[in-house]
Amino acid sequence: MMMMKFQNQFNGVESLEQRRRETMVGPRSNGGGIRPREAFSSINGGRRISFPASAPPSAPGSNAGSDVGVLDFNKEDVEVLLNERMRNKNKFNYKERCEQMMDYIKRLRLCIRWFQEVEGGYLVEQDNLRELLQSAEIKCSEMEMLMQNKEEELNSIIMELRKNYNLLQDKCAKEQSDKTGLMDDLSREKEARIAAERLQTSLSEDLEKIRQEQETSSQKISSLNDMYKRLQDYNSSLQQYNSKLQTELSTANETLKRVESEKAAVVENLSTLRGQYTSLQDQLTSSKASQEEAVKQKEGLINEVGCLRTELQQARDDRDRQLSQVHTLTDEIGKYKDFTGRSVSELDCLSMKSDELEAKCSTQNDLVRTLQDQLAAAHKKLQMSDLSATETRKLYEEQNMTICDLRIRLEDAEVKLVEGEKLRKKLHNTILELKGNIRVFCRVRPSLPDEVSSTDAKVVGFPTATEAMGRGIDLLQNGQKHSFMYDKVFVPDASQEDVFVEISQLVQSALDGYKVCIFAYGQTGSGKTFTMMGSPGNSEKKGLIPRSLEQIFETRQSLKSQGWKYDLQVSMLEIYNETIRDLLSTHKSSSIDNGTSAKQYNIKHDANGNTHVSDLTLVDVRSSKEVAYLLEKAAQSRSVGKTLMNEQSSRSHFVFTLRISGVNESTEQQVQGVLNLIDLAGSERLSKSGSTGDRLKETQAINKSLSSLSDVIFALSKREDHVPFRNSKLTYLLQPCLGGDSKTLMFVNISPESSSLGESLCSLRFAARVNACEIGIPRRQTNVRSSDSRLSYG
């Protein structure tokens, strides 16, 4: 099954590589397809990775992994390598089998080295693509900023030009309106001047006419006076009658006074004067006729003389009125002359203003022409900027297309890198399983809020080299750097989900019928219990135990459609002061009295490598909720104490075991798997923990069991004949996991604080020794039914 998984994984990588060659190298040539590994050669800087034609992967005794610098694998090579089976003429010839196994491991190492080379090439290509993407994004952002600055500058210039243009248009319109108003005033003044001149000429003509009429009237009056003198001589004879006429004359004088009072009313209308003047002439003619008749008739003469005197007085009054009218007209003429002079001066001022306005208008017209020229130039600049903007946009779109292409290539490279990493892990796990090594994961916990770090207290580092990324860790002590390499290293920011993803395949192996053991090791307060159990009530911080059980139950449900049925049994115990305690026991007699348990639990190993603990409580479980309840119950029964290094320090070794029994009704295949999840108590120094009394005894028992574990690991690494598993209950319980056919994984937890540097260095050295140990090859348990229903440890 493992070989089929590797083959499927390689098929996926081969298809990804084929798509990558088609996108990067180009279309197939007409002659004969694509050259193999063309993309890999371009990734590795032109370095051709090839496998010698004379040494196929299945050839025994090949030392290409150590002597040949270039190697190449294709799909058929890997399939042959994965599907290869050991063929021995004598199955008891273990030396030949070991040599074949070592050769097979060497070729697997060659394959892994090839995948590492490909992975390195992918990483280099990914870095190059990221650099290209970053440079393209920087250029794009610079072009965008430049285009925005140009657009803002041109927009500001256009806005200023538009404002100036609008202001000049307003000024020009205002000046034009003022000019039209002044021209209208000037035309009105000219018309008024012409009308005044016409009125002056008409008044002068009327004055001349009046003067001529006055002269004729004065001549008539002089002639009448002469006639009056001649009539006085004639009237002397008529003295008596004249007295009567005197009385009548006084009456006429009174009448004359009344007529003088009416003088003002007569002055108002000059046209009536002319009529009266003509009537006067008529009266004069009639008086002449009457005088001629008076000569003939004496009686009528007196009446005619009275009439003539009355008419004479009226003529005098008319003369006075005409004189007054002449004086009035003269005054009016003077006023008109003054008004005409003022109009002429105002007309001169208006003409000067008109000239000034015409000059100003011409200046404004020149300025408007200049602004129009500037506006035309601005429009040209705007058109040029539009052209440059379109070019910039085209360049920007091209850059975006390039960025999209680079992103697609980067995503493809990341996908290939992930697939290659998965395949590398599987091949690495295969080698470890064939070698029988214990896998080791290292996890560095984050600093706690109440921990105060010094300024130079960064003692833990993580290398960034390709071969050590995610697998290496560095410790700095007194200026000396200690470097370690493990199967996986988790940084402080790694989540519980990230950690579980790495062991999910190992948990799956338990359902496949393997014995799986995962245990956490480290000093107290380094995060072992958090890694295994997590934080209760927080789904995101669940530990490996609840997550493993959730995966097992989900997989069991999904495998029902394939005919699989699984029965699950759970047990939980702790080793406290070298005494086994059943954490799920319902009897009070199992409680600890003076450090010893009332019930004794014995550990037994059978011939099949299974471990049994007598009288241990086994609980059948059907859901993850039941297991969560049992875990909570066990956590309440577990021994926990407070020390100077940890407020809730685990004072015992906690062992969670899940026994899995599966049957496929269609194929009648049976599997039996065991999943052991162990939270070891933390190692601590008495000088730092400050333990006394019972805590001192607990610390001594913990350190003794961990020291026995170290002795077992040391003996395994030295391949000694005798391994001291019986020195402690912990090592004796873990004997099938450390020296049998189990898949074993160790979590080494360390603290990032400088005060814990010594303990962290010891833990990492112990983990490196564990990683170098070779135990038995994992064996799948199928077609076997166990008659004992109790849980075993393996």
Side-chain angles (χ1 to χ4, degrees):
M1 181 178 289
M2 184 66 68
M3 295 299 179
M4 292 177 65
K5 290 181 180 179
F6 292 163
Q7 185 173 356
N8 295 332
Q9 188 72 27
F10 184 79
N11 291 336
V13 174
E14 188 71 19
S15 61
L16 288 174
E17 176 60 25
Q18 184 176 359
R19 291 199 300 271
R20 181 181 178 278
R21 289 200 298 268
E22 291 176 357
T23 54
M24 296 184 62
V25 178
R28 297 178 181 269
S29 62
N30 297 327
I34 301 174
R35 293 180 301 171
R37 304 294 178 267
E38 184 65 24
F40 293 150
S41 63
S42 62
I43 289 173
N44 291 278
R47 182 162 52 89
R48 176 69 177 170
I49 303 175
S50 61
F51 194 88
S54 60
S58 59
S62 176
N63 295 324
S66 59
D67 299 332
V68 181
V70 293
L71 43 96
D72 191 5
F73 283 90
N74 54 23
K75 182 177 180 181
E76 292 77 9
D77 297 337
V78 176
E79 287 179 354
V80 171
L81 184 62
L82 294 177
N83 295 327
E84 183 177 352
R85 295 183 180 180
M86 301 298 173
R87 296 179 180 179
N88 297 318
K89 296 181 180 179
N90 188 1
K91 62 180 180 180
F92 297 101
N93 191 354
Y94 294 103
K95 183 177 181 181
E96 183 180 356
R97 290 180 65 185
C98 289
E99 290 177 355
Q100 290 180 359
M101 185 65 69
M102 291 301 294
D103 181 65
Y104 185 66
I105 290 172
K106 286 180 181 179
R107 283 184 276 121
L108 281 176
R109 285 179 177 173
L110 287 175
C111 186
I112 291 174
R113 188 180 301 171
W114 174 69
F115 273 107
Q116 287 178 349
E117 294 287 339
V118 173
E119 180 183 2
Y122 283 147
L123 290 174
V124 172
E125 183 184 7
Q126 185 178 5
D127 294 336
N128 294 332
L129 291 174
R130 283 178 180 170
E131 291 177 358
L132 290 174
L133 181 61
Q134 290 176 358
S135 61
E137 288 178 350
I138 291 171
K139 289 181 181 179
C140 242
S141 60
E142 290 177 355
M143 293 297 293
E144 286 180 355
M145 292 294 295
L146 183 61
M147 187 170 67
Q148 289 178 0
N149 293 332
K150 285 185 178 180
E151 286 182 356
E152 291 176 357
E153 183 179 359
L154 291 173
N155 288 330
S156 61
I157 293 172
I158 291 170
M159 292 298 293
E160 290 179 359
L161 291 175
R162 286 178 179 173
K163 288 180 181 178
N164 294 330
Y165 183 69
N166 293 329
L167 291 174
L168 289 174
Q169 281 184 344
D170 295 337
K171 287 183 180 179
C172 185
K174 187 176 180 181
E175 294 293 338
Q176 193 69 25
S177 62
D178 293 339
K179 182 178 179 181
T180 53
L182 291 173
M183 292 298 292
D184 294 337
D185 293 337
L186 181 61
S187 62
R188 285 194 296 271
E189 290 295 333
K190 287 181 179 180
E191 292 176 356
R193 183 176 180 182
I194 292 170
E197 289 178 354
R198 291 178 181 175
L199 182 60
Q200 184 179 4
T201 52
S202 62
L203 288 175
S204 60
E205 289 177 356
D206 293 336
L207 183 60
E208 290 294 332
K209 289 180 181 179
I210 291 170
R211 284 177 181 176
Q212 290 176 2
E213 291 177 355
Q214 186 178 6
E215 289 176 355
T216 55
S217 62
S218 61
Q219 290 177 0
K220 289 180 179 179
I221 289 170
S222 63
S223 63
L224 289 174
N225 286 330
D226 292 339
M227 189 181 290
Y228 180 71
K229 288 177 180 180
R230 287 192 301 272
L231 290 173
Q232 279 182 351
D233 293 336
Y234 177 73
N235 289 333
S236 63
S237 61
L238 300 173
Q239 287 293 329
Q240 294 177 355
Y241 185 71
N242 195 14
S243 59
K244 289 182 180 182
L245 292 176
Q246 288 293 330
T247 55
E248 293 178 357
L249 185 59
S250 60
T251 305
N253 288 328
E254 292 176 358
T255 306
L256 183 61
K257 289 179 180 178
R258 289 193 299 272
V259 172
E260 287 178 357
S261 63
E262 295 175 356
K263 179 180 179 180
V266 177
V267 174
E268 294 178 356
N269 197 351
L270 185 60
S271 62
T272 57
L273 179 61
R274 292 177 182 176
Q276 290 178 359
Y277 183 72
T278 55
S279 64
L280 179 60
Q281 288 179 352
D282 295 337
Q283 289 178 2
L284 287 175
T285 54
S286 63
S287 65
K288 287 180 181 180
S290 65
Q291 282 179 1
E292 288 178 354
E293 290 179 355
V295 174
K296 294 178 180 178
Q297 295 178 359
K298 184 178 178 180
E299 292 88 1
L301 184 60
I302 295 172
N303 294 328
E304 292 176 0
V305 169
C307 293
L308 288 173
R309 286 179 179 177
T310 303
E311 292 175 356
L312 179 61
Q313 189 64 36
Q314 290 177 355
R316 288 176 179 175
D317 294 337
D318 293 334
R319 185 190 63 182
D320 294 334
R321 286 195 297 273
Q322 289 180 359
L323 288 173
S324 63
Q325 288 178 358
V326 168
H327 290 299
T328 303
L329 291 172
T330 304
D331 295 335
E332 290 179 356
I333 289 169
K335 290 179 180 179
Y336 277 117
K337 286 181 178 179
D338 295 335
F339 179 73
T340 304
R342 288 196 299 272
S343 298
V344 170
S345 62
E346 290 177 358
L347 184 62
D348 294 335
C349 292
L350 290 174
S351 62
M352 291 175 66
K353 288 182 179 179
S354 178
D355 295 335
E356 291 177 357
L357 288 174
E358 288 178 355
K360 194 172 183 180
C361 282
S362 63
T363 306
Q364 294 291 338
N365 288 328
D366 296 336
L367 184 59
V368 167
R369 293 191 191 93
T370 305
L371 290 175
Q372 286 177 352
D373 296 336
Q374 292 179 359
L375 185 61
H379 280 301
K380 290 181 180 179
K381 288 182 179 179
L382 183 60
Q383 291 176 356
M384 295 296 291
S385 65
D386 290 336
L387 293 175
S388 63
T390 54
E391 293 177 356
T392 307
R393 283 171 184 166
K394 289 181 181 178
L395 183 60
Y396 176 71
E397 291 175 356
E398 292 176 357
Q399 292 290 337
N400 279 334
M401 292 175 65
T402 305
I403 290 171
C404 292
D405 187 18
L406 291 175
R407 283 177 178 170
I408 292 171
R409 293 171 62 186
L410 181 60
E411 291 174 357
D412 293 339
E414 289 177 350
V415 169
K416 294 173 182 177
L417 183 62
V418 171
E419 296 295 334
E421 178 66 18
K422 289 181 180 179
L423 186 57
R424 184 197 65 78
K425 288 179 180 178
K426 288 186 177 293
L427 292 174
H428 181 67
N429 292 334
T430 303
I431 291 176
L432 291 177
E433 290 174 1
L434 293 173
K435 290 174 63 178
N437 285 25
I438 300 175
R439 275 168 281 186
V440 176
F441 287 176
C442 177
R443 187 178 189 185
V444 183
R445 72 161 174 83
S447 299
L448 301 178
D450 56 348
E451 292 176 345
V452 180
S453 300
S454 59
T455 56
D456 57 346
K458 189 175 181 181
V459 296
V460 180
F462 304 95
T464 58
T466 303
E467 62 276 3
M469 184 180 297
R471 298 179 58 204
I473 184 171
D474 298 331
L475 253 65
L476 187 63
Q477 184 184 33
N478 298 327
Q480 183 179 1
K481 185 172 72 172
H482 302 275
S483 299
F484 300 91
M485 288 284 290
Y486 302 106
D487 297 286
K488 183 66 179 178
V489 175
F490 297 98
V491 297
D493 296 335
S495 63
Q496 296 281 68
E497 178 67 22
D498 298 335
V499 176
F500 178 72
V501 167
E502 295 295 330
I503 69 160
S504 59
Q505 295 296 326
L506 196 60
V507 174
Q508 179 65 33
S509 297
L511 280 173
D512 296 337
Y514 288 93
K515 297 176 185 178
V516 177
C517 178
I518 301 175
F519 65 94
Y521 177 89
Q523 72 177 104
T524 181
S526 60
K528 302 182 301 300
T529 304
F530 177 78
T531 299
M532 301 303 294
M533 302 295 294
S535 296
N538 192 339
S539 60
E540 294 182 356
K541 294 183 179 181
K542 291 185 294 186
L544 299 184
I545 295 177
R547 291 178 185 270
S548 299
L549 293 169
E550 288 178 358
Q551 178 181 340
I552 287 175
F553 282 108
E554 290 175 359
T555 308
R556 185 184 71 167
Q557 187 67 25
S558 62
L559 291 177
K560 282 185 178 181
S561 60
Q562 301 179 13
W564 283 98
K565 290 185 178 181
Y566 289 94
D567 294 328
L568 306 177
Q569 287 182 324
V570 169
S571 69
M572 301 182 199
L573 63 84
E574 70 172 353
I575 301 176
Y576 176 77
N577 288 346
E578 288 299 310
T579 303
I580 295 177
R581 292 183 59 203
D582 186 1
L583 297 178
L584 299 181
S585 176
T586 57
H587 302 288
K588 295 183 179 179
S589 61
S590 62
S591 60
I592 293 179
D593 297 326
N594 297 326
T596 61
S597 176
K599 182 183 291 187
Q600 297 296 325
Y601 297 93
N602 298 319
I603 302 173
K604 297 180 180 179
H605 303 295
D606 59 15
N608 295 324
N610 296 320
T611 301
H612 304 279
V613 179
S614 61
D615 297 327
L616 191 64
T617 302
L618 302 177
V619 179
D620 293 329
V621 291
R622 295 176 179 82
S623 66
S624 58
K625 291 183 179 179
E626 296 179 4
V627 180
Y629 170 75
L630 295 176
L631 285 172
E632 185 178 356
K633 180 181 177 181
Q636 293 175 358
S637 303
R638 189 179 179 187
S639 300
V640 179
K642 179 179 180 181
T643 65
L644 296 178
M645 299 182 67
N646 194 356
E647 292 184 357
Q648 292 184 348
S649 176
S650 301
R651 313 308 295 168
S652 65
H653 306 299
F654 172 73
V655 180
F656 172 90
T657 305
L658 178 67
R659 175 68 178 271
I660 302 170
S661 177
V663 177
N664 193 323
E665 295 179 352
S666 60
T667 61
E668 297 183 356
Q669 184 181 7
Q670 300 175 358
V671 294
Q672 287 184 352
V674 178
L675 176 62
N676 293 320
L677 302 173
I678 304 171
D679 178 18
L680 298 179
S683 62
E684 57 186 43
R685 297 181 185 271
L686 293 176
S687 59
K688 291 185 177 181
S689 64
S691 300
T692 58
D694 293 338
R695 296 290 175 265
L696 178 59
K697 293 180 180 179
E698 293 168 356
T699 303
Q700 291 174 348
I702 292 169
N703 290 338
K704 179 182 177 182
S705 61
L706 294 178
S707 177
S708 299
L709 179 62
S710 178
D711 293 339
V712 168
I713 296 300
F714 182 79
L716 290 173
S717 62
K718 295 296 184 179
R719 296 185 179 182
E720 296 180 355
D721 296 334
H722 173 69
V723 179
F725 286 111
R726 293 180 178 269
N727 286 358
S728 71
K729 292 288 182 67
L730 175 64
T731 55
Y732 190 53
L733 186 66
L734 296 178
Q735 181 176 353
C737 302
L738 299 177
D741 55 357
S742 173
K743 290 186 177 182
T744 306
L745 170 67
M746 170 184 169
F747 268 98
V748 55
N749 295 80
I750 65 171
S751 172
E753 296 301 315
S754 58
S755 59
S756 304
L757 181 60
E759 288 292 332
S760 299
L761 188 58
C762 292
S763 298
L764 292 177
R765 286 171 176 170
F766 176 72
R769 186 175 296 174
V770 171
N771 200 17
C773 290
E774 293 184 4
I775 60 177
I777 299 174
R779 180 172 54 87
R780 185 182 184 189
Q781 295 183 356
T782 60
N783 299 323
V784 176
R785 284 185 178 271
S786 176
S787 59
D788 189 1
S789 61
R790 289 194 298 264
L791 188 65
S792 65
Y793 297 82

